[in-house]
Amino acid sequence: MKVVKFGGSSVADGKQFEKVAAIIREEEARRLIVVSAPGKRFAEDIKTTDLLIHLADAAAEKKDYDAELQQVIERYTAIVESLSLPSQLLAELKAQLISLIETYQEDHPRLYDALMASGENENAKLMAAYLQQLGEEAYYVSPEEAGMVVTDDPGNARILPESYEKIAKLRERSGRLVIPGFFGVSKTGHIVTFPRGGSDITGSIIGAGAEVDLYENFTDVDSIYSVNPSLVEKPHEMEELTYREMRELAYAGFSVFHDEALHPVVKKKIPVCIKNTNHPQAAGTYIVDEREQRGLPVIGIASDKGFISINVRKYLMNKEVGFGRHLLHILAEEGISFEHTPSGIDNMSIIVREEYLNEEAEKKILERIQKELDVEEVHVERELAMVMVVGEGMAKTVGVAAKATTALAEAGVNIKMINQGSSEVSMMFGVNASEADLAVTSLYNACFAKAKA
Ligand code: ASP
């Protein structure tokens, strides 16, 4: 049995629904279907989830929300009309949206979650109806019915462990089950969404619960590329990568598969295959527990911007027992999670994501570090990017660091920080954000283009 998830662009209009149905019907094993909300049909289009956020904005401000509601309904109308589905489905959809607004208008976090979730919920109903129309035994299954019980944290749901037992029972059901992605239901019966892009997470949870043989994740690219394809012409395509490699790349901006979606499948060692709805005959990229080491030691290069470094200096820091603990304790008390802590003998830096550190928190943290740790210097460095060179093969290959630093030096990129964990799955370079793209392309050329030549 397989779980098959279709992303927003794969289910954006009637034509895409036809492609999706053909893919599903091609294999008996494609029985658990997870769908996103209708995504972009062309570059300037607006995702249905974003239209739903506009609707929630208007409803929360108690404005007349007719125009926003109409925009959402138009997206579904186009699908219903193109596939000649019963128009009754649209009347139900409209009534459902109005009822959600009436229920949650005074509770804004829940209003946003309920409306955003309806994007996938209504699309799953349409997909089930379309498969039925084609003669398939297909059912819409709500996340509640599927057993997706989540924490009550709007916009940031986490699956509760007890869900898996219930989800396992989906195996016993007949036909194809169409489940909306992106949300679950809390113990108190409320709709709670995962973070944005979270339909991948639903696919992974359903796959892990039902212990499927494969999680096929259909999107709009033929494979995962070794580098951002907007930076390099015809980048190397990956056939296979491990969960650990994917995790590192996702951390640094590879958005093809949500970084929180790996966890459930990793535990059960379920392979994931990234495939293209618009070109399903392409082999795709497999994300697996272990892979044979052949070819190049590096599998991908990624970079992410928006980091800040808090740099601390104190003479004889290395001899002061508990210094690091105290420093990190200050961050923990201020509710700031840190990303990395590169250090020297008398200095230590804490890298945090800019979005987590507002002006007020920053001021307070700097004051506390100065006062409580009596440091000689503490200052903040902004606009940093982390560039990651990823590949399990690096552990067994001598000279990757030399090659990487040479490439950066030749490109004139100043390395501000180097970090490599003991697993040697990745090597990380902190550089100025303005030099991140140059760093990535020069590393790519050194590790791939030149290596192949
Ligand atoms: N529709 C949601 C979003 O746009 C979730 C998803 O597509 O995975 O974030």
Side-chain angles (χ1 to χ4, degrees):
M1 187 189 273
K2 292 179 178 181
V3 63
V4 206
K5 181 255 166 180
F6 294 93
S9 61
S10 301
V11 286
D13 60 20
K15 279 264 157 301
Q16 292 301 94
F17 264 59
E18 286 173 17
K19 291 183 197 169
V20 165
I23 291 169
I24 293 170
R25 300 178 83 199
E26 208 179 324
E27 282 189 34
E28 212 37 66
R30 290 178 174 147
R31 293 219 3 245
L32 300 173
I33 325 289
V34 174
V35 293
S36 281
K40 292 188 182 196
R41 295 159 292 184
F42 42 89
E44 311 75 44
D45 200 11
I46 305 176
K47 284 174 151 201
T48 310
T49 311
D50 292 313
L51 294 177
L52 286 158
I53 292 175
H54 298 161
L55 174 60
D57 288 340
E61 288 173 29
K62 300 236 165 69
K63 286 191 192 150
D64 175 9
Y65 54 75
D66 233 36
E68 287 80 2
L69 179 63
Q70 202 42 43
Q71 275 192 306
V72 173
I73 290 171
E74 270 166 21
R75 289 297 310 260
Y76 293 102
T77 307
I79 297 172
V80 165
E81 285 178 355
S82 150
L83 302 173
S84 309
L85 292 171
S87 56
Q88 175 63 17
L89 288 165
L90 291 171
E92 284 166 15
L93 187 155
K94 187 171 179 183
Q96 174 66 10
L97 289 173
I98 293 172
S99 142
L100 287 173
I101 293 172
E102 282 167 3
T103 311
Y104 292 118
Q105 201 158 21
E106 302 305 326
D107 186 347
H108 293 178
R110 292 208 193 281
L111 175 70
Y112 279 88
D113 267 24
L115 287 181
M116 281 201 290
S118 66
E120 344 296 287
N121 202 34
E122 301 305 326
N123 224 23
K125 289 180 195 167
L126 297 192
M127 183 59 75
Y130 180 51
L131 290 169
Q132 285 160 9
Q133 181 173 282
L134 294 172
E136 290 289 320
E137 185 192 353
Y139 306 94
Y140 156 79
V141 176
S142 72
E144 186 173 20
E145 192 187 341
M148 301 270 300
V149 188
V150 296
T151 56
D152 200 4
D153 186 4
N156 196 24
R158 309 259 151 205
I159 195 75
L160 291 174
E162 68 237 42
S163 301
Y164 289 106
E165 221 172 287
K166 183 138 187 237
I167 294 170
K169 300 219 168 70
L170 294 177
R171 289 189 74 92
E172 292 157 21
R173 297 195 41 174
S174 71
R176 308 200 198 253
L177 311 181
V178 186
I179 306 162
F182 191 38
F183 70 100
V185 175
S186 70
K187 278 187 174 167
T188 45
H190 293 290
I191 293 164
V192 193
T193 66
F194 294 117
R196 288 297 304 266
S199 296
D200 283 347
I201 306 175
T202 303
S204 186
I205 291 167
I206 297 289
E211 305 211 358
V212 298
D213 305 304
L214 181 65
Y215 171 11
E216 288 179 313
N217 189 295
F218 280 85
T219 174
D220 50 13
V221 288
D222 275 358
S223 63
I224 304 182
Y225 300 106
S226 289
V227 68
N228 181 345
S230 68
L231 293 177
V232 170
E233 215 182 310
K234 285 211 185 120
H236 181 263
E237 293 183 11
M238 298 182 199
E239 273 171 43
E240 208 178 45
L241 76 165
T242 66
Y243 297 132
R244 287 171 296 278
E245 289 169 329
M246 186 68 227
R247 161 76 183 121
E248 304 275 337
L249 290 167
Y251 172 81
F254 270 44
S255 57
V256 65
F257 191 58
H258 199 290
D259 61 349
E260 288 183 33
L262 274 177
H263 194 58
V265 281
V266 168
K267 278 196 175 162
K268 298 270 174 79
K269 297 193 180 166
I270 294 167
V272 181
C273 182
I274 306 290
K275 283 182 76 85
N276 191 350
T277 300
N278 307 317
H279 188 210
Q281 57 281 20
T285 301
Y286 282 80
I287 312 172
V288 294
D289 184 44
E290 275 185 56
R291 67 182 176 97
E292 217 182 291
Q293 280 305 329
R294 49 195 154 88
L296 303 169
V298 173
I299 193 148
I301 318 254
S303 82
D304 200 12
K305 296 178 183 162
F307 290 91
I308 286 185
S309 177
I310 304 173
N311 301 329
V312 180
R313 186 166 59 82
K314 185 176 187 186
Y315 185 56
L316 292 181
M317 177 192 283
N318 62 321
K319 296 214 169 136
E320 192 172 322
V321 174
F323 185 92
R325 186 198 59 77
H326 193 150
L327 185 56
L328 294 179
H329 189 66
I330 293 175
L331 267 97
E333 280 194 343
E334 300 303 329
I336 307 295
S337 72
F338 71 94
E339 305 291 319
H340 318 283
T341 56
S343 63
I345 305 169
D346 285 338
N347 58 71
M348 192 163 162
S349 297
I350 306 177
I351 314 275
V352 297
R353 287 205 187 250
E354 213 165 340
E355 67 202 80
Y356 300 150
L357 193 68
N358 61 32
E359 227 176 281
E360 200 185 323
E362 179 183 316
K363 192 163 165 266
K364 193 152 175 224
I365 286 171
L366 295 192
E367 276 168 13
R368 284 192 62 184
I369 293 173
Q370 185 70 62
K371 195 161 143 239
E372 295 173 32
L373 289 162
D374 192 23
V375 297
E376 274 135 33
E377 191 188 333
V378 51
H379 73 272
V380 166
E381 206 173 337
R382 291 171 201 288
E383 291 185 26
L384 295 178
M386 295 298 139
V387 179
M388 314 262 287
V389 178
V390 176
E392 303 247 13
M394 292 197 299
K396 296 196 190 81
T397 314
V398 175
V400 182
K403 194 188 269 184
T405 48
T406 306
L408 292 174
E410 282 174 359
V413 174
N414 180 23
I415 304 171
K416 305 200 140 217
M417 179 208 101
I418 302 184
N419 206 0
Q420 186 183 40
S422 55
S423 66
E424 291 186 58
V425 179
S426 73
M427 209 181 296
M428 185 183 301
F429 299 98
V431 302
N432 277 329
S434 59
E435 292 181 328
D437 290 350
L438 177 61
V440 169
T441 47
S442 49
L443 287 167
Y444 178 80
N445 286 335
C447 297
F448 288 89
K450 281 191 196 153
K452 273 198 279 182

